[in-house]
């Protein structure tokens, strides 16, 4: 470890004292006011590791003499925290704390103990419920800056503007409406994907093998809505976390001219199991009491946008980090789809997980953080399907 400290010390001193101004370390401030230059992310030290973790460091005004000698405390001007960040989940651990002098030279350094890292990474259910990612935070800014070094301290995450929920731009959609319901879904999903790329939220892994034949009840009733049951036997997942499923809508009072009055109507939906986005994309008419499709037409796009925008004003029961936090149709369907990829074991909707210290390895640093990330990804696999469903 001493050799590592030596390399860190010499690189910092050489950059600060000898390098031309244009090559000196870059500091990205993350707080306003008089201390804005003291509170800064050290951009030039950021490094993405092969295991996907980000090495990052931040500088702060000195706040405490605890753990330092009187001489070190007197010389120290800044505190300097080194940390490892998992930019998929927003989980992180501090790995070392240093004192720097006024010129950013190293005064003293000590590694963070595993017990202290456990305080950061072992999350109770209440901790998990309060966790927001992406969020307006120094940790999010460090991740954003690692992807785009030109990012400013005023960079914003659309996901975090609404308590951890993603805010779709329905006004932009309304200004140039897609031609059909499927196009509407794809436009909304593309908005999320573009934001996720900046915020480091993960995409679902490539879908694995095809799930086996469906053997359960053909229709799923959520709550007491038997009339609006979902055709679980026909549910599909072609990859990417999007499921396709139809809901029974009874008889249409004004069916198209080519459709008999007794035809059964089903509304076909696409649901993004990463976010809970649910978009009706088509109206499908079937011969009465049969599976013979007579006609499929797009849902009215303008009406759908209006409904989605209105519903978005309420409190969402879904966050990109936790998934569904309350029971509901989308939650039940995504959990049921994910269960088909997990050997039939379904996660109860609204289940909050914990990161139990007893489940974490005895090591500190990266192994601790990677184990916590694995625990979060396992929770995510409970509502985002990882295999193909209903496709050849």
């Amino acid at each position: 470890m001493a050799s590592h400290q030596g390399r860190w010390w010499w690189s910092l001193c050489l950059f600060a004292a000898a390098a031309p101004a244009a090559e000196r370390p870059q500091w990205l401030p993350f707080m306003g006011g008089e201390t804005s230059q003291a509170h800064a992310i050290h951009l030039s030290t950021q490094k993405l590791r092969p295991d996907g973790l980000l090495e990052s460091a931040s500088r702060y005004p000195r706040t405490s003499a605890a753990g330092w000698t009187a001489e070190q405390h007197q010389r120290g001007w800044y505190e300097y925290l080194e940390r490892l960040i998992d930019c998929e989940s927003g989980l992180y651990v501090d790995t070392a704390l240093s004192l720097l002098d006024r010129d950013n030279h190293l005064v003293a350094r000590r590694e963070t103990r595993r017990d202290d890292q456990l305080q950061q990474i072992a999350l109770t259910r209440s901790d998990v419920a309060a966790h927001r990612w992406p969020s307006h935070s120094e940790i999010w800014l460090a991740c954003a800056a690692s992807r785009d070094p030109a990012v400013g301290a005023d960079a914003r995450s659309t996901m975090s503007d609404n308590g951890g929920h993603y805010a779709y731009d329905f006004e932009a959609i309304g200004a140039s409406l897609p031609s059909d319901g499927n196009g509407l879904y794809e436009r909304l999903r593309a908005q999320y994907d573009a934001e996720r790329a900046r915020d480091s939220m993960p995409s679902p892994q490539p879908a694995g093998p095809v799930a086996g034949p469906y053997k359960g009840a053909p229709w799923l009733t959520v709550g007491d809505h038997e009339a609006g049951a979902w055709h679980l036997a026909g549910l599909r997942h072609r990859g990417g976390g999007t499921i396709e499923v139809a809901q029974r809508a009874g008889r249409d009072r004004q069916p198209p001219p080519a459709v008999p009055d007794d035809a059964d109507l089903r509304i076909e939906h696409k649901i993004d199991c990463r976010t809970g986005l649910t978009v009706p994309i088509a109206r499908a008419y079937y011969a009465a009491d049969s599976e013979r499709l007579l006609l499929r037409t797009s849902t009215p796009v303008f009406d759908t946008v209006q409904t989605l925008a209105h519903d978005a004003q309420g409190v969402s029961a879904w966050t990109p980090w936790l998934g569904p936090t309350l029971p509901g149709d989308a939650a039940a369907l995504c959990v049921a789809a994910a269960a088909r990829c997990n050997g039939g074991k379904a996660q109860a909707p609204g289940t909050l997980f914990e990161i139990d210290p007893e489940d974490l390895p005895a090591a500190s640093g990266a192994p601790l953080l990677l184990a916590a990330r694995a625990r979060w990804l396992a929770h995510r696999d409970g509502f985002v399907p990882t295999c193909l469903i209903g496709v050849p």
Side-chain angles (χ1 to χ4, degrees):
M1 189 65 205
S3 62
H4 173 74
Q5 284 184 261
R7 289 195 300 272
W8 187 90
W9 156 254
W10 280 112
S11 63
L12 184 60
C13 289
L14 287 172
F15 267 114
E23 298 179 6
R24 289 181 182 178
Q26 296 176 332
W27 299 92
L28 175 61
F30 58 86
M31 290 188 67
E34 295 180 359
T35 61
S36 63
Q37 296 303 313
H39 294 83
I41 297 167
H42 198 180
L43 293 180
S44 64
T45 64
Q46 288 192 323
K47 177 184 176 183
L48 186 62
R49 296 159 46 106
D51 58 14
L53 301 181
L54 175 68
E55 294 180 6
S56 188
S58 295
R59 183 183 65 188
Y60 311 84
R62 187 195 59 200
T63 58
S64 172
W68 309 112
T69 67
E71 187 271 338
Q72 290 169 344
H73 181 62
Q74 184 177 16
R75 290 178 56 201
W77 193 265
Y78 300 112
E79 292 177 352
Y80 185 88
L81 262 179
E82 300 169 50
R83 54 173 56 108
L84 289 174
I85 304 173
D86 172 35
C87 291
E88 286 191 342
S89 65
L91 300 171
Y92 68 94
V93 292
D94 297 333
T95 56
L97 174 64
S98 300
L99 279 182
L100 307 182
D101 66 15
R102 185 193 295 262
D103 298 318
N104 294 315
H105 292 161
L106 180 68
V107 174
R109 180 179 185 274
R110 63 174 185 253
E111 295 188 1
T112 306
R113 301 179 307 164
R114 179 180 181 274
D115 287 347
D116 293 329
Q117 292 179 347
L118 279 178
Q119 294 295 318
Q120 296 178 294
I121 208 71
L123 304 182
T124 65
R125 289 193 174 192
S126 60
D127 294 328
V128 167
H131 183 84
R132 293 291 180 262
W133 186 255
S135 64
H136 289 164
S137 68
E138 171 199 349
I139 302 303
W140 173 82
L141 188 59
C143 289
S146 72
R147 301 177 70 89
D148 180 6
V151 70
D154 61 345
R156 296 181 60 79
S157 164
T158 306
M159 290 184 191
S160 59
D161 288 341
N162 193 25
H165 311 292
Y166 179 67
Y168 292 97
D169 187 351
F170 293 106
E171 185 175 345
I173 297 290
S176 177
L177 285 175
S179 60
D180 57 24
N182 188 64
L184 173 61
Y185 175 84
E186 296 302 330
R187 284 269 298 276
L188 290 169
R189 182 179 165 94
Q191 283 187 3
Y192 175 80
D193 285 344
E195 189 75 16
R196 187 210 63 230
R198 187 182 70 176
D199 286 333
S200 302
M201 287 293 289
S203 295
Q205 295 297 318
V210 178
Y214 182 69
K215 298 179 180 179
W219 294 89
L220 171 68
T221 300
V222 180
D224 297 326
H225 307 295
E226 185 174 349
W230 297 85
H231 193 212
L232 204 57
L235 183 148
R236 292 190 173 198
H237 174 242
R238 305 172 194 265
T242 292
I243 60 172
E244 305 167 40
V245 61
Q247 184 179 31
R248 189 160 49 200
R251 303 283 167 83
D252 192 345
R253 293 181 179 179
Q254 293 183 322
V259 174
D261 292 340
D262 64 348
D264 292 328
L265 173 62
R266 301 177 192 175
I267 307 299
E268 298 177 355
H269 293 74
K270 281 190 173 181
I271 302 174
D272 188 343
C273 290
R274 303 170 301 171
T275 63
L277 172 69
T278 303
V279 178
I281 61 168
R283 299 166 65 87
Y285 295 88
Y286 288 80
D289 302 319
S290 77
E291 293 297 315
R292 183 165 63 88
L293 179 66
L294 301 175
L295 178 70
R296 178 184 285 111
T297 63
S298 172
T299 51
V301 175
F302 179 79
D303 292 346
T304 301
V305 171
Q306 294 290 98
T307 300
L308 290 173
H310 178 269
D311 291 347
Q313 303 303 314
V315 177
S316 174
W318 208 295
T319 70
W321 200 76
L322 277 180
T325 56
L326 293 172
D329 288 23
L333 291 162
C334 286
V335 167
R340 293 190 61 184
C341 303
N342 297 328
K345 185 177 181 181
Q347 180 186 99
T351 296
L352 290 181
F353 70 100
E354 296 180 321
I355 301 178
D356 191 330
E358 298 298 323
D359 296 334
L360 298 175
S364 61
L368 201 63
L369 183 54
L370 290 170
R373 178 176 70 179
R375 180 68 187 89
W376 172 70
L377 288 173
H379 171 76
R380 193 169 183 269
D381 287 347
F383 60 90
V384 179
T386 57
C387 66
L388 299 174
I389 301 173
V391 296

